[in-house]
């Protein structure tokens, strides 16, 4: 288990505190009927920022899902961040998924690169290269795995807590995307996918592919 942080993501505490405070004020000043929508909002914020612990698979060569969501792409394409042809697997996160991002592999971060961009629906293929995004290039014993956080239609903030030179362990929490988004994983050609388009996956506990 790789989880040195709380069950509720630290990024969510300010939002949760404000939502609960507003609901309490309306509840005591106007009654439960008028406060009900505000309590619903507070519950939504609570579920959005949940960040549960996950068991970490230990199979050699396993590439773990960096996010909860649904597989929307499995294709051979160009990895523009590492300058190579690669197998890309994309995970789309809706607003009801956990939005904490976890390292897909054990390795050393060789590059972190942020790109400003648009905010198209992250379910669309063009979001991968046109939306705001943050790319992490990871050296896995001489093989390269690239994990890219992509903002979505509602997402307006990508958070990344690692830098070039940092060592990551699979399942380690490295970032967060607020309010609906996507993560693209670029793998060496010859990697074997373990998921199919439409599959629902869970960060850390789902194996996306084998190197």
């Amino acid at each position: 288990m790789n989880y040195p942080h709380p069950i509720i993501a630290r990024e969510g505490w300010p939002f949760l505190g404000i939502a609960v405070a507003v609901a309490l004020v309306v509840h005591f000043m106007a009654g439960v009927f008028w406060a009900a929508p505000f309590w619903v909002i507070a519950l939504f914020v609570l579920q959005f920022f949940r960040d549960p612990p996950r068991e970490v698979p230990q199979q050699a060569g396993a590439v773990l899902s960096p996010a909860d969501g649904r597989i929307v792409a499995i294709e051979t394409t160009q990895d523009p961040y590492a300058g190579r042809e690669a197998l890309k697997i994309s995970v789309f996160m809706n607003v009801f998924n956990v939005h904490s991002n976890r390292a897909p592999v054990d390795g050393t971060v060789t590059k972190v690169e942020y790109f400003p961009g648009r905010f198209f629906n992250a379910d669309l293929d063009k979001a991968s290269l046109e939306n705001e995004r943050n790319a992490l290039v990871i050296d896995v014993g001489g093989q390269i795995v690239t994990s890219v956080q992509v903002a979505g239609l509602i997402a307006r903030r990508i958070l990344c807590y690692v830098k070039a030179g940092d060592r990551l362990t699979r399942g380690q929490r490295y970032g967060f995307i607020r309010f609906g988004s996507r993560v693209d994983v670029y793998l060496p050609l010859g990697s074997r996918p373990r998921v199919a388009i439409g599959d629902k996956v869970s960060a850390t506990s789902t194996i996306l592919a084998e190197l």
Side-chain angles (χ1 to χ4, degrees):
M1 192 84 70
N2 187 334
Y3 198 83
H5 43 278
I7 299 300
I8 302 299
R10 60 181 179 270
E11 295 86 355
W13 285 111
F15 296 92
L16 184 59
I18 292 170
V20 170
V22 170
L24 284 171
V25 169
V26 175
H27 191 125
F28 286 112
M29 293 187 65
V32 65
F33 177 80
W34 293 103
F38 296 95
W39 283 118
V40 170
I41 291 172
L43 286 173
F44 170 78
V45 172
L46 178 65
Q47 74 82 32
F48 181 86
F49 285 104
R50 71 195 188 282
D51 198 4
R54 300 280 170 78
E55 294 291 337
V56 183
Q58 297 301 316
Q59 291 96 314
V63 179
L64 311 183
S65 179
D68 283 18
R70 174 173 53 88
I71 301 297
V72 294
I74 303 174
E75 60 184 350
T76 299
T77 187
Q78 190 70 17
D79 175 358
Y81 313 101
R84 54 162 182 169
E85 194 173 17
L87 171 69
K88 183 177 80 170
I89 301 179
S90 299
V91 180
F92 171 72
M93 295 174 277
N94 64 37
V95 294
F96 298 105
N97 291 130
V98 172
H99 277 62
S100 176
N101 299 140
R102 325 284 181 94
V105 290
D106 298 323
T108 301
V109 178
T110 61
K111 181 168 68 172
V112 179
E113 196 168 5
Y114 169 78
F115 300 85
R118 308 288 293 277
F119 295 97
F120 293 120
N121 186 340
D123 201 6
L124 302 175
D125 288 340
K126 64 181 179 180
S128 287
L129 296 178
E130 296 188 39
N131 279 19
E132 176 180 321
R133 59 203 182 278
N134 186 77
L136 214 65
V137 179
I138 307 168
D139 185 336
V140 187
Q143 294 184 295
I144 298 298
V145 172
T146 305
S147 186
V148 187
Q149 299 167 288
V150 183
L153 183 65
I154 303 173
R156 299 289 162 162
R157 186 75 189 277
I158 294 174
L159 304 172
C160 180
Y161 303 121
V162 297
K163 61 185 185 302
D166 285 352
R167 177 76 183 173
L168 290 176
T169 59
R170 61 174 75 178
Q172 179 181 335
R173 189 182 194 277
Y174 78 86
F176 199 92
I177 314 177
R178 291 209 290 253
F179 306 119
S181 45
R182 169 188 185 124
V183 177
D184 296 326
V185 181
Y186 295 85
L187 305 170
L189 292 178
S191 299
R192 299 178 297 279
R194 291 276 300 273
V195 292
I197 291 178
D199 284 357
K200 292 183 178 180
V201 298
S202 298
T204 300
S205 58
T206 299
I207 297 176
L208 289 185
E210 296 175 349
L211 295 176

